[in-house]
Amino acid sequence: MHRKYALLACLLMAMTAVGCRPFFDDLSKCSETTLEYRYIRAEGDEYSTEVQQMRHFLFNAAGEYIRELKQNEVTPQELRISGLTPGSYTVVTVGNSTPEGTMLTDLEAGKSHMSDFILRLKARYNEQAYSGAEQLFWNSKTFEVKEAEKQRYICDLANIHCHLFYEVTWQSAPPEAGKYRIELTGLTEQYSLDPAQSNLSIEVNPRKEVVHQFPLHADGITKLCQDVTLFNHTLEGEIISLRYCNDRIPTFQVMYGDKEITKKMDLSQAFKAFGWIPDRRAEQIYRLQLRVNDDGSVGVRPWIEGTVEDWQPGGVILR
């Protein structure tokens, strides 16, 4: 007799755990939606090397926030959702954000709306500038829950950060030794994570039906700064930011304390000359080599293998 009660208790617990109403006679009446995430920049899935963790946020058909869905530690690329009443839902996913580097809106269940959902830079260089962005990814998936139906969707994560690698040299010699500062201005400070406001999508792999959708850039712009120490007469580094836009390409300036080593250089001129169109790049990685000339002008060209002695006329001269 006790064994019968024990078996009944176990059955009820199992049915409740998968999120179904506990009085269904048949577990086949349970609905379950599985979202499978991947990151494809060209052919293969590079999720395992590019994405460390994800946060998932669930909204109903009216765009009202319901709750955050925990990532499965055993199968991190799969999100299984059950126990939802029939209807339309949207999951908004942010990859690689941490509390230290990225600020996400503190959503309240039943009160917050999808249109309130904002991603903002957080890591500060000082009160006027940020130090950079994290290597962020984003996806949104809308799906329909039907009773007693199991569904599976592929979710393509989009790369929503930008890498700028730079090398700065001098025609003659650097004016100072020690620590310099690189300043980028005119960059995006925050995104709207509401998929309804997204205004850019890029087809990455037609054969695999891979399309990356990108969040809307908010109006505000900001500055990013990075300290870099002169080594072998060269400044070299990488600055990670939110994505560039066709109409939002930063200026680049070299500083030494309060001293301007170069003027603010509008990199959009170089991008135009090189045929670099940010809104056509699903993954933004830019490499620039800059040479400060004796007359104060700066030569800019794509950074390729070579040394300062290899510099040949060409590229763009910024004054």
Side-chain angles (χ1 to χ4, degrees):
M1 197 69 170
H2 291 295
R3 292 184 64 185
K4 289 183 178 180
Y5 284 122
L7 288 171
L8 178 60
C10 289
L11 179 60
L12 290 174
M13 288 174 64
M15 294 168 68
T16 304
V18 295
C20 298
R21 293 193 295 269
F23 298 108
F24 277 148
D25 294 325
D26 187 346
L27 288 179
S28 65
K29 293 184 179 180
C30 297
S31 63
E32 182 181 74
T33 301
T34 300
L35 304 184
E36 181 181 344
Y37 291 85
R38 65 184 182 181
Y39 176 59
I40 294 179
R41 57 159 59 99
E43 286 292 335
D45 183 8
E46 300 186 43
Y47 176 97
S48 62
T49 58
E50 298 293 332
V51 184
Q52 283 70 58
Q53 49 83 13
M54 295 185 292
R55 295 183 66 183
H56 307 285
F57 303 85
L58 179 66
F59 298 83
N60 64 19
E64 298 168 339
Y65 176 62
I66 300 175
R67 66 179 184 273
E68 184 171 351
L69 303 172
K70 187 177 180 180
Q71 183 178 18
N72 189 322
E73 295 181 1
V74 179
T75 55
Q77 284 187 248
E78 290 188 345
L79 180 67
R80 292 187 175 91
I81 310 167
S82 58
L84 298 177
T85 57
S88 181
Y89 298 88
T90 297
V91 171
V92 176
T93 297
V94 180
N96 289 350
S97 68
T98 69
E100 296 74 28
T102 303
M103 184 180 297
L104 298 176
T105 303
D106 189 10
L107 301 171
E108 294 185 59
K111 295 182 179 180
S112 299
H113 193 272
M114 204 182 302
S115 59
D116 303 323
F117 201 10
I118 297 294
L119 179 153
R120 184 175 182 175
L121 296 175
K122 187 176 182 181
R124 285 282 182 180
Y125 178 86
N126 56 30
E127 292 184 0
Q128 290 77 41
Y130 293 96
S131 60
E134 298 182 293
Q135 299 186 61
L136 300 166
F137 294 83
W138 181 71
N139 176 266
S140 70
K141 177 61 68 175
T142 298
F143 56 92
E144 193 79 20
V145 171
K146 299 177 181 179
E147 195 166 286
E149 185 172 301
K150 298 187 187 306
Q151 303 177 86
R152 189 177 191 88
Y153 297 92
I154 297 294
C155 302
D156 286 302
L157 290 161
N159 184 323
I160 60 171
H161 62 278
C162 174
H163 296 263
L164 176 65
F165 294 90
Y166 63 86
E167 181 188 72
V168 180
T169 57
W170 278 261
Q171 183 177 3
S172 294
E176 308 287 349
K179 186 181 294 184
Y180 287 73
R181 184 174 68 256
I182 304 299
E183 296 187 356
L184 302 182
T185 58
L187 287 169
T188 294
E189 182 177 14
Q190 66 182 41
Y191 291 132
S192 166
L193 297 183
D194 180 0
Q197 298 186 44
S198 169
N199 62 348
L200 177 65
S201 62
I202 299 176
E203 188 176 50
V204 175
N205 186 318
R207 182 176 57 82
K208 292 186 176 182
E209 299 182 336
V210 178
V211 176
H212 290 177
Q213 181 184 10
F214 299 90
L216 178 70
H217 293 245
D219 290 335
I221 57 175
T222 193
K223 176 194 292 187
L224 270 64
C225 294
Q226 181 182 84
D227 292 333
V228 56
T229 300
L230 187 71
F231 179 74
N232 196 25
H233 289 192
T234 302
L235 301 176
E236 187 175 316
E238 173 195 10
I239 297 179
I240 302 175
S241 68
L242 301 184
R243 283 176 60 88
Y244 298 177
C245 303
N246 288 353
D247 59 355
R248 196 172 292 184
I249 297 169
T251 64
F252 187 105
Q253 186 172 28
V254 182
M255 301 286 294
Y256 188 87
D258 295 331
K259 179 181 178 181
E260 293 187 351
I261 302 301
T262 69
K263 295 181 179 180
K264 287 184 179 180
M265 297 170 283
D266 182 0
L267 292 183
S268 66
Q269 299 177 42
F271 274 52
K272 183 177 181 180
F274 305 152
W276 294 353
I277 304 174
D279 288 349
R280 292 184 183 175
R281 288 198 177 193
E283 182 181 48
Q284 294 186 345
I285 300 177
Y286 301 108
R287 294 178 172 86
L288 288 177
Q289 191 174 44
L290 304 95
R291 188 180 75 166
V292 183
N293 298 316
D294 292 340
D295 64 1
S297 65
V298 179
V300 183
R301 68 181 186 184
W303 185 1
I304 56 176
E305 294 295 328
T307 67
V308 66
E309 288 80 12
D310 299 321
W311 190 278
Q312 298 293 328
V316 177
I317 300 295
L318 302 180
R319 300 182 184 275

